[in-house]
């Protein structure tokens, strides 16, 4: 096997040194009738060239080269090439959790920079080193709010990503967290009156998403006011991180949960991505996930290390803030490099391109179909309602190597023939014109 | 004598924010081909004023910045990385090529199944391989990491027991277990009951019998356990639990000691997770991404998270969401698909014979280290080792030297330390897992280093207590870091105008 750095002669020599006759002696602790006899029924060993061929075929069966108008929590943004060249450095890519800071200052400093940039963008005071993704960050923010407030209920906007809400339900069932769902208005925003009625003195937090699942930007300040008046926290989820380039950060929130995929992470059929939790300093000890802090070494030199680990499972075991151990460090590094490439001015321009493309597309669609939720600002997604079932429209588009918007019937049956469309900086005017033409047929 | 390492010039590098100055940039967007929208007009009150202290740097500075940071790290590519329990094996480069192919890396999770057959097939084939390797019946690839897999597995158990009328109250966890096990049980709504180990480092059978009753939902066992010891009584353990209607969960963190040699499903394990970033070579990335597929027996299959992969009537693959008894989703979309690609590429590169040889070499390497260091370091459990060996610092302790000091001195010798002070049942543990990826030459260098340090502990304890001597930074003040946390960079305060 080409990954194994030993000859049979070396193996024999090592066995002799150990003082056993054969490798089987080392497996003697496994009862004989439990041991596998012969080969498992697995594919035979492939040459490297065959492996590449096999996955090229799978790639070709998987929509390579299609133009896509899908968003809904996974966004096609251009990935600057420096990201992959840097994260492919073996010292980043083949290291593990920085338990030994003397040999991991690279990872530690990069995470510290990540935490800082997330704070700058979200308007929060502290951010963790990453969670698995946005969907799993969702229940973690709610459980965190429950620990902080000593309350248990969560009031959740129906315009939060449906799959995030599903993950929340899976976790919440066993945490004794009742969840109340609040609908949305004609303008796509959460129904604040219904929200106000739903929040009680048992509510730990109000959870909204902005831009929400329909691409509509919520009135964060108003939601915060309602939550805070009843002593609850406001949690804001962000699935489209690029929006932060031009959308006012949710500074009124107590906790921000985020999916950082838009920052240079491949859509990759759903993962790996990187979730983030950011919050106010006063809540940091209830925050799950790893944290890197600045300190100094014995000679007084600036250095970075994992810190506040007494929140974590390897110290606190069943009393930990979460069971999370491995997070998404390499993906967070992609995001850090992406945020550095675009930086203070570029992120603004990038977001403006997204805004402009979606505005153009929505206006074009509006000439031929009904664009819903017009009364509030949106970022790079919008909902189009058609006479025809969007699935049939998408069938036609597929023939032309285009993937249309996400049909919403499964998640929001009351919206009828509606689909969620997304345009990013990678979408061209020609593509937009081509899909609008098909929709109008 | 230090043979593996030497000092070399190392670049200093500040924080990226300290290199920033207005007007530098590293980006260029294509010309906008639609009318430009003014954010202030379009967004009104929701428009953002500015981006604060986000950096402004050029492309070459970005390349140098992160390259310099990378040189301060140690990785498997640098050398032996014997972090016990973490399985720091070689990360094959072809895996990376496969995962970055356009149709896979660029696939949207919601694209129609018709144009997602390639990804679905990869998930299907990987699932089949993992079931064959574990001897289980059904699987989900959705969990994002090992601890997430644990939670999924325990929720399956809970759902199953609920379907029988009583979810029960507690989970038994051996005192040698990873911290994630009790943390997981708590999140799944269970009380944790500690189960002690016997003098051989294995689950104490009389204790298990005494503690197993109708309140026990499951035992979470790691096999081989964190001492690197195979739980020989696994079949009996399963039987004790099953007799009382409890289930057996296996933490598959150490599955790399069993692949191709023994299948947990053949000996009573009801549900288990695997860490693709350990056993199946996907990169650890400085702390993730991982991937934690969960395999289970038929009785738990109805409860798997939605969606599951299904073969449609026309033979095409698709996702099945219509599952009445499912525990629900544990993650959005379908899990860390990019890791599924890499793990399958690894299995294909090995084949059944290669996987078996891999396991044998991992066990061979651990036993070689054990043999060569026994006597110099205290071996608290003499039970045979599988893929890792756990020593203690008892012998060095008489000179005031602890496992953490030996670990720091190992850095000067050019190695990443082993896992320090874990498992908790060994006072002052040195948990060493070489993996199969080490040549005899690298192992011998490591053994020499450990011997030399053992001598230094006698002859020159100060040398060890002050280590490391050759790194950029040494012995960080972690107490101050936790007492006065500085968790982000802030610009230096500008002097007030009146000053």
């Amino acid at each position: 096997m080409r990954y194994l750095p030993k000859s049979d002669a070396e193996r024999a020599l090592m066995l002799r040194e150990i003082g056993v006759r054969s490798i089987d002696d080392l497996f003697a602790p496994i009862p004989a009738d439990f041991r596998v006899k012969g080969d498992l029924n697995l594919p035979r060993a492939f040459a490297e060239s065959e492996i590449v061929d096999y996955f090229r075929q799978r790639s070709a069966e998987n929509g390579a080269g299609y133009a896509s108008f899908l968003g809904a929590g996974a966004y096609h943004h251009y990935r600057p090439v420096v990201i992959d060249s840097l994260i492919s450095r073996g010292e980043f890519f083949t290291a593990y959790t920085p338990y030994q800071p003397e040999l991991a200052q690279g990872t530690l400093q990069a995470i510290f920079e990540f935490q800082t940039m997330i704070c700058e963008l979200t308007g929060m005071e502290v951010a963790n080193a990453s969670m698995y993704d946005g969907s799993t960050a969702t229940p973690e923010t709610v459980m965190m709010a429950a620990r902080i407030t000593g309350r248990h209920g969560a009031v959740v906007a129906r315009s939060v990503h449906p799959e995030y809400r599903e993950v929340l339900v899976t976790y919440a069932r066993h945490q004794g967290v009742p969840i109340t769902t609040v609908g949305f208005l004609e303008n796509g925003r959460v129904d604040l009156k219904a929200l106000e009625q739903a929040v009680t003195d048992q509510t730990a937090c109000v959870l909204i998403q902005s831009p929400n699942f329909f691409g509509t930007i919520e009135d964060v300040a108003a939601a915060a006011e309602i939550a805070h008046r009843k002593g609850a926290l406001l949690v804001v989820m962000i699935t489209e991180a690029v929006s932060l380039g031009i959308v006012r950060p949710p500074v009124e929130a107590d906790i921000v949960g985020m999916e950082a995929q838009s920052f240079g992470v491949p859509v990759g059929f759903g993962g790996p991505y990187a979730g983030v939790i950011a919050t106010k300093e006063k809540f940091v000890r209830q925050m799950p996930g790893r944290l890197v802090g600045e300190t100094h070494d014995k000679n007084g030199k600036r250095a970075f290390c994992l810190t506040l680990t007494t929140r974590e499972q390897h110290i606190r075991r069943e009393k930990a803030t979460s069971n999370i151990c491995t997070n998404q460090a390499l993906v967070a590094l992609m995001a850090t490099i992406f945020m550095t490439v675009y930086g203070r001015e570029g992120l603004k321009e990038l977001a403006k391109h997204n805004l402009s493309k979606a505005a153009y597309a929505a206006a074009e669609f509006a000439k031929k179909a009904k664009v819903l939720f017009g009364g509030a600002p949106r970022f790079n997604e919008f909902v189009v309602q058609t006479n025809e079932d969007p699935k049939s429209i998408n069938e036609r588009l597929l023939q032309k190597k285009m993937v249309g918007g996400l049909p919403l019937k499964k998640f929001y049956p009351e919206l009828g023939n509606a689909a969620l469309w997304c345009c990013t900086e990678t979408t061209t005017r020609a593509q937009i014109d081509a899909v609008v033409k098909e929709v109008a047929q | 004598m230090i043979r593996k390492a030497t000092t070399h010039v190392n670049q200093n590098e500040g924080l990226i924010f300290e290199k920033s100055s207005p007007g530098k940039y590293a980006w260029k967007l294509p010309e906008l081909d639609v009318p430009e929208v003014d954010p202030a007009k379009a967004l009104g009150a929701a428009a953002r004023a500015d981006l604060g202290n986000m950096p402004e740097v050029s492309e070459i500075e970005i390349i140098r910045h992160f390259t310099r940071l990378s040189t301060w790290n140690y990785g498997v590519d640098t050398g032996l990385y014997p972090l016990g329990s973490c399985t720091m094996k070689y990360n094959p480069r072809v895996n990376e090529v496969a995962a970055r192919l356009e149709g896979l890396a660029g696939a949207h999770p919601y694209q129609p199944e018709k144009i997602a057959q390639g990804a679905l097939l990869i998930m299907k084939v990987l699932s089949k391989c993992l079931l064959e390797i574990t001897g289980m019946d059904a699987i989900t690839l959705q969990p994002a990491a090992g601890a997430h897999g644990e939670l999924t597995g325990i929720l399956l158990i809970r759902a199953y027991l609920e379907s029988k009328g009583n979810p029960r109250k507690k989970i038994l966890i051996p005192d040698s277990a990873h911290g994630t096990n009790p943390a997981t049980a708590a999140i799944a709504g269970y009380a944790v009951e500690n189960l002690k180990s016997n003098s051989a480092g294995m689950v104490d059978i009389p204790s298990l019998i005494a503690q197993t009753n109708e309140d026990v939902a499951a035992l979470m066992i790691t096999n081989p356990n964190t001492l690197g010891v195979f739980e020989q009584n696994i079949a009996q353990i399963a039987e004790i639990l099953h007799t009382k209607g409890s289930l057996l969960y296996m933490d598959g963190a150490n599955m790399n000691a069993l692949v191709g040699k023994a299948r947990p499903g053949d000996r009573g394990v009801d549900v288990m997770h695997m860490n693709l970033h350990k056993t199946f070579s996907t990169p650890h990335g400085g702390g993730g991404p991982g991937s934690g597929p969960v395999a289970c027996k038929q009785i738990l299959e109805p409860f798997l998270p939605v969606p599951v992969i299904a073969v449609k009537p026309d033979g095409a693959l698709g996702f099945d969401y219509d599952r009445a008894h499912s525990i629900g989703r544990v993650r959005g979309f379908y899990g860390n698909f990019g890791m599924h690609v890499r793990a399958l590429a690894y299995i294909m590169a090995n084949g059944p014979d290669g996987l078996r040889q891999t396991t044998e070499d991992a066990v061979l390497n651990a036993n070689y280290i054990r043999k060569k260091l026994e006597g110099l370091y205290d071996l608290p459990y003499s039970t045979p080792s599988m893929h890792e060996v756990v020593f203690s610092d008892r012998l060095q302790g008489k000179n005031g030297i602890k496992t953490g000091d030996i670990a720091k001195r190992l850095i000067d010798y050019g190695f990443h330390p082993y896992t320090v002070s874990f498992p908790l049942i060994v006072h002052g543990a040195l948990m060493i897992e070489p993996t199969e990826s080490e040549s005899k030459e690298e192992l011998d260098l490591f053994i020499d280093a450990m011997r030399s340090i053992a001598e230094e502990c006698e002859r020159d304890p100060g040398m060890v207590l002050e280590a490391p001597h050759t790194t950029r930074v040494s012995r960080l003040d972690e107490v101050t870091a936790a007492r006065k946390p500085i968790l982000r960079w802030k610009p230096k305060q500008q002097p007030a105008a009146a000053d």
Side-chain angles (χ1 to χ4, degrees), chain B residues 205-247:
Chain B
I205 298 292
S207 301
L208 179 66
I209 292 170
Q211 286 175 253
T212 305
N213 57 36
E214 274 71 23
D215 279 344
V216 173
L219 164 69
M220 292 180 88
I221 199 172
T222 306
N223 198 15
N225 65 26
T226 59
L227 291 165
V229 168
F230 187 81
E231 296 278 359
Q232 297 181 12
N233 305 314
I234 185 75
Q236 192 190 352
I237 290 169
E239 201 188 313
I240 293 166
L241 292 160
H242 292 158
T243 305
K244 298 279 181 187
S246 315
L247 300 190

Side-chain angles (χ1 to χ4, degrees), chain B residues 257-272:
Chain B
L258 302 183
V259 174
K261 303 297 286 188
R263 310 194 313 164
D266 294 344
R267 276 297 176 278
V269 169
D270 298 299
V271 50
M272 65 176 291

Side-chain angles (χ1 to χ4, degrees), chain A residues 17 120 163 170 269 295 327, chain B residues 107 287 329 333 372 477 488:
Chain A
E17 301 254 339
E120 288 290 340
E163 293 197 8
T170 304
F269 207 53
T295 184
N327 53 31
Chain B
R329 272 185 177 282
F333 309 125
K372 298 278 182 172
D477 184 350
R488 57 155 298 175

